[in-house]
């Protein structure tokens, strides 16, 4: 079959595929991305139509460039549709870059340097790249609604990628110049047949993938519906149980529970004492007024009335709630009537007791206050205005941070938390006695001697904290003056001791390196020689010198040289024992005295220090080496003779080439 016939067949197939996809798109539910697949199929049909146009009658940009680009655009649209269909990001820059490369190459090899081989090679190479991208997009991050058709389609794109690369390599590099495309070699026909077959298979897989996703969503919807049904059944069961509990609760209520209309007529009643249903006129007016308020607001709480009895008046409290909307003609209300006679008696007794205590508090010289279990002030006596400058009303509104200074606030909170903890554990509550510093209106502070007494109920519950604050500012002022005088004396003594310690440190240490200086070392040497002679213990000496230290100063400057001295002294000191003594002997020389150490042990330590100094470069200088002279003390020689032997050994080490250790003989 010739190429033209195959192109016509491809056009027919592309039109059929496009029509089928359009019918699915317009008549069935599809997902985002399906439209791109439809557009890709349309591109294939347009491309086949343009290929059939006579090239001697139409311009090349139409029959060559656009016709081939539409095949490439088909892959771009397929890839974009697949990514959108699966909810993955689309990178437009890759499509733009590929399109520009395709169009520039085809215009170049059509108008500038005409070459059918080059056009086919470039086109097949780019098509192979986008086919491989489609294959990867289908095989990675697969959603749960995909069956096996996405892998099938991925296999198709893999075959197209392989054949596209093979055709690009063969036509672009190995094949002779191609003749007219309608009389191309046999593999041209095979390629067109492959495109026709793949277009059918790809379209089929795209439609099936859309169906699979529809089935997946339908299954998920059905599962969600079943879950909603189960949840509804569970809620209905809970409602039935709640209704049963509510009925049981109502049946155990000692209060009067009524359902009434707007005029107060009883529709339903639950009462342990039906006699309460008959009200005198005064009580009836209270009930009707409460019903009117409930009609306006939807509820009412707090109205009370009394009924006369031989034992005295009995008090009741109303709580009313409206049922339904306020516009309903047959509005009804739930009314709860509770006996509050005992509470009224207790409140009256509390009122009388509070009046007595308030009278005492307002006439006392100390500030009396009460604190509730939640930490809020419930009462403060008027004397607070004399003490702090705030009226009682202002003091009650203040937070603890506004009343106390930070240190006193911490003491207050610590005690308050301890009281709450002990109350929760049913432990005895301890009173508080201490001094707290209060803030005043003018910004000053005043000290108070505070006594706090926790008040508990019979069951151990914390009811209230009763506090008394007495002004002790004058006493605190005298204590402060005495403490300041004592502190000044103590500060003077400490300054004198610090000055003496600093003078002692300056007299015995090297100001640059911080190690002992020569003067201190000479004092210690005499004591160590006496001790070694008395107990017969070995005593050795290391004398070390930095090699070529003058060159360091001349090359890098004295500041860098000072840093080398400091760094070297730190390295040596960090690897000595507590009993060892390190001192700066002078310039770049250091001396180390080693109690309980013979010449062999001292030589071993010297070798360790020499390697340590040379191993790590010094900042700004690099590697620095040192030479060591080692000498063991031999009684009854003098300290000067001992040091001279160490110095001679050091000289021998430097003469031998430096970075050496020499042990002095007898």
């Amino acid at each position: 079959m010739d190429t033209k016939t195959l192109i016509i067949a491809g056009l027919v197939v592309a039109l059929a595929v496009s029509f089928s996809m359009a019918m699915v798109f317009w008549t069935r539910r599809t997902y985002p991305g399906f439209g791109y697949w439809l557009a890709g199929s349309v591109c294939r049909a347009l491309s086949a139509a343009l290929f059939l146009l006579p090239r001697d009658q139409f311009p090349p940009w139409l029959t060559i460039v656009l016709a081939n680009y539409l095949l490439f655009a088909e892959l771009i649209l397929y890839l974009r549709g697949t990514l959108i269909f699966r909810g993955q990001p689309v990178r437009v820059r890759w499509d733009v870059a590929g399109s520009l490369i395709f169009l520039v190459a085809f215009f170049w090899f059509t108008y500038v340097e005409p070459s059918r081989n080059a056009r086919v090679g470039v086109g097949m190479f780019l098509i192979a790249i986008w086919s491989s991208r489609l294959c990867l997009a289908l095989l990675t991050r697969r959603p749960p609604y995909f069956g096996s058709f996405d892998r099938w389609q991925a296999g198709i794109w893999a075959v197209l990628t392989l054949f596209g690369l093979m055709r690009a390599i063969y036509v672009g590099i190995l094949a002779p110049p191609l003749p007219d495309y309608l009389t191309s070699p046999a593999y041209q026909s095979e390629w067109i047949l492959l495109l026709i077959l793949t277009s059918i298979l790809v379209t089929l897989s795209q439609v099936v993938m859309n169906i699979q996703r529809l089935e997946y969503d339908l299954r998920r919807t059905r599962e969600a519906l079943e879950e909603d049904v189960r949840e509804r059944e569970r809620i209905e069961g809970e409602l039935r149980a709640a209704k049963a509990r509510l009925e049981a609760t109502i049946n155990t209520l000692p209060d009067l529970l009524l359902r009434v209309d707007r005029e107060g007529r009883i529709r339903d009643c639950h009462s342990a004492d039906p006699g309460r249903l008959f009200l005198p006129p005064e009580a009836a007016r209270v009930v009707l007024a409460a019903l009117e308020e409930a009609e306006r607001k939807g509820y009412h709480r707090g109205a009370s009335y009394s009924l006369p009895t031989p034992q005295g008046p009995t008090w009741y409290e109303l709580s009313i709630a409206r049922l339904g909307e306020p516009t309903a003609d047959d509005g009804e209300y739930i009314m709860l009537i509770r006996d509050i006679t005992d509470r009224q008696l207790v409140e009256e007794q509390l009122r009388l007791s509070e009046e007595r205590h308030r009278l005492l508090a307002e006439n006392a010289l100390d500030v009396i206050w009460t604190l509730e279990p939640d930490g809020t002030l419930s009462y403060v006596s008027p004397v607070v205005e004399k003490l702090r400058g705030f009226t009682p009303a202002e003091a009650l509104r203040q937070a603890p941070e506004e009343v106390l200074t930070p240190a006193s606030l911490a003491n207050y909170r610590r005690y308050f938390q301890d009281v709450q903890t002990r109350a929760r554990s049913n432990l005895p509550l301890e009173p508080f006695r201490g001094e707290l510093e209060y803030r005043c209106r003018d910004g000053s502070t005043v000290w108070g001697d505070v006594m706090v007494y926790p008040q508990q109920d019979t069951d151990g519950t914390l009811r209230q904290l009763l506090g008394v604050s007495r002004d002790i500012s004058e006493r605190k002022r005298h204590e402060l003056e005495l403490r300041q005088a004592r502190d000044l004396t103590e500060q003077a003594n400490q300054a004198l001791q610090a000055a003496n310690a600093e003078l002692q440190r300056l007299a015995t240490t090297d100001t640059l390196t911080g190690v002992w200086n020569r003067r201190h070392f000479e004092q210690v040497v005499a004591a160590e020689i006496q001790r070694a002679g008395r107990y017969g213990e070995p005593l050795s000496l290391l004398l070390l010198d930095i090699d070529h230290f003058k060159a360091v100063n001349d090359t890098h400057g004295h500041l860098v040289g000072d840093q080398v001295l400091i760094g070297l002294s730190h390295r040596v000191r960090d690897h000595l024992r507590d009993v060892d003594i390190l001192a700066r002997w002078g310039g770049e020389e250091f001396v180390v005295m080693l109690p309980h150490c013979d010449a062999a042990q001292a030589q071993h330590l010297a070798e360790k220090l020499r390697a340590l100094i040379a191993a790590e470069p010094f900042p700004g200088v690099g590697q620095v080496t040192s030479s060591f002279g080692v000498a063991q003390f031999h009684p009854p020689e003098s300290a000067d003779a001992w040091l001279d032997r160490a110095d001679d050994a050091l000289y021998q080490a430097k003469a031998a080439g430096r970075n050496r250790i020499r042990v002095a003989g007898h």
Side-chain angles (χ1 to χ4, degrees), residues 62 66 472 491:
L62 182 64
L66 183 58
I472 57 169
Q491 290 175 5

Side-chain angles (χ1 to χ4, degrees), residues 90-101:
V90 178
R91 296 178 175 84
V92 181
R93 62 179 182 273
W94 291 106
D95 298 339
V96 174
S99 298
L100 289 176
I101 293 172

Side-chain angles (χ1 to χ4, degrees), residues 271-328:
S271 175
D273 182 10
R276 288 186 288 177
L277 299 176
F278 305 99
L279 305 178
E282 295 80 5
R285 283 194 292 270
V286 173
V287 173
L288 291 175
L291 280 171
E292 291 177 359
E293 182 179 354
E295 183 176 2
R296 294 193 308 271
K297 298 173 57 178
Y299 66 92
H300 172 82
R301 287 189 295 269
S304 61
Y305 62 89
S306 63
L307 297 179
T309 65
Q311 295 79 21
T314 302
W315 286 89
Y316 298 96
E317 185 180 62
L318 290 174
S319 295
I320 304 175
R322 185 178 60 218
L323 292 175
E325 297 296 329
T327 57

Side-chain angles (χ1 to χ4, degrees), residues 110-330:
T110 301
Y111 290 98
V112 182
E113 296 182 8
S115 172
R116 186 171 288 110
N117 292 57
R119 290 200 302 265
V120 174
V122 172
M124 289 299 99
F125 182 73
L126 290 174
I127 287 174
I129 291 176
W130 257 255
S131 299
S132 64
R133 291 182 64 196
L134 259 168
C135 181
L136 290 175
L138 287 165
L139 293 177
T140 55
R141 291 189 289 179
R142 297 178 68 249
Y145 48 77
F146 272 12
S148 60
F149 276 84
D150 61 327
R151 293 194 178 96
W152 180 28
Q153 188 183 146
I156 295 172
W157 295 122
V159 171
L160 279 178
T161 301
L162 179 61
F163 277 88
L165 288 175
M166 292 172 59
R167 189 178 179 211
I169 294 171
Y170 178 73
V171 175
I173 300 174
L174 304 176
L178 295 174
D180 184 77
Y181 75 103
L182 293 177
T183 60
S184 297
Y187 60 80
Q188 174 78 1
S189 302
E190 296 172 357
W191 173 254
I192 296 175
L193 283 173
L194 180 61
L195 291 179
I196 294 172
L197 178 61
T198 56
S199 67
I200 298 173
L201 295 177
V202 167
T203 302
L204 177 60
S205 66
Q206 289 169 344
V207 173
V208 172
M209 285 192 296
N210 189 76
I211 294 173
Q212 288 175 338
R213 186 168 177 179
L214 284 172
E215 292 176 348
Y216 175 80
D217 286 350
L218 179 61
R219 186 170 65 255
R220 289 289 301 274
T221 303
R222 185 168 57 251
E223 292 173 354
L225 181 60
E226 293 174 353
E227 181 63 25
D228 289 343
V229 171
R230 289 193 294 270
E231 181 66 14
R232 181 176 178 181
E233 292 175 350
R234 184 187 64 81
I235 293 174
E236 289 177 351
E238 292 179 354
L239 286 175
R240 288 193 296 270
K243 183 178 180 181
R245 288 194 297 270
L246 179 60
E247 292 177 352
T249 302
I250 292 175
N251 291 332
T252 59
L253 278 176
D255 304 323
L256 176 62
L257 188 64
L258 305 175
R259 181 167 59 89
V260 301
D261 59 14
R262 283 193 176 96
E263 286 72 30
R265 291 188 293 267
I266 299 173
R267 300 287 183 85
D268 193 8
C269 173
H270 166 80
S271 175
D273 182 10
R276 288 186 288 177
L277 299 176
F278 305 99
L279 305 178
E282 295 80 5
R285 283 194 292 270
V286 173
V287 173
L288 291 175
L291 280 171
E292 291 177 359
E293 182 179 354
E295 183 176 2
R296 294 193 308 271
K297 298 173 57 178
Y299 66 92
H300 172 82
R301 287 189 295 269
S304 61
Y305 62 89
S306 63
L307 297 179
T309 65
Q311 295 79 21
T314 302
W315 286 89
Y316 298 96
E317 185 180 62
L318 290 174
S319 295
I320 304 175
R322 185 178 60 218
L323 292 175
E325 297 296 329
T327 57
D329 295 334
D330 56 346

Side-chain angles (χ1 to χ4, degrees), residues 534-575:
R534 184 182 306 114
Y535 299 105
E537 295 177 349
L539 180 64
S540 296
L541 186 73
L542 301 183
L543 191 61
L544 67 101
D545 181 85
I546 301 175
D547 297 333
H548 303 295
F549 185 71
K550 184 177 182 302
V552 173
N553 284 333
D554 294 343
T555 304
H556 304 284
H558 287 277
L559 291 178
V560 175
D562 290 346
Q563 293 303 315
V564 171
L565 291 172
I566 294 171
L568 183 139
S569 65
H570 288 174
R571 292 188 191 182
V572 173
R573 183 172 56 192
D574 291 343
H575 288 79

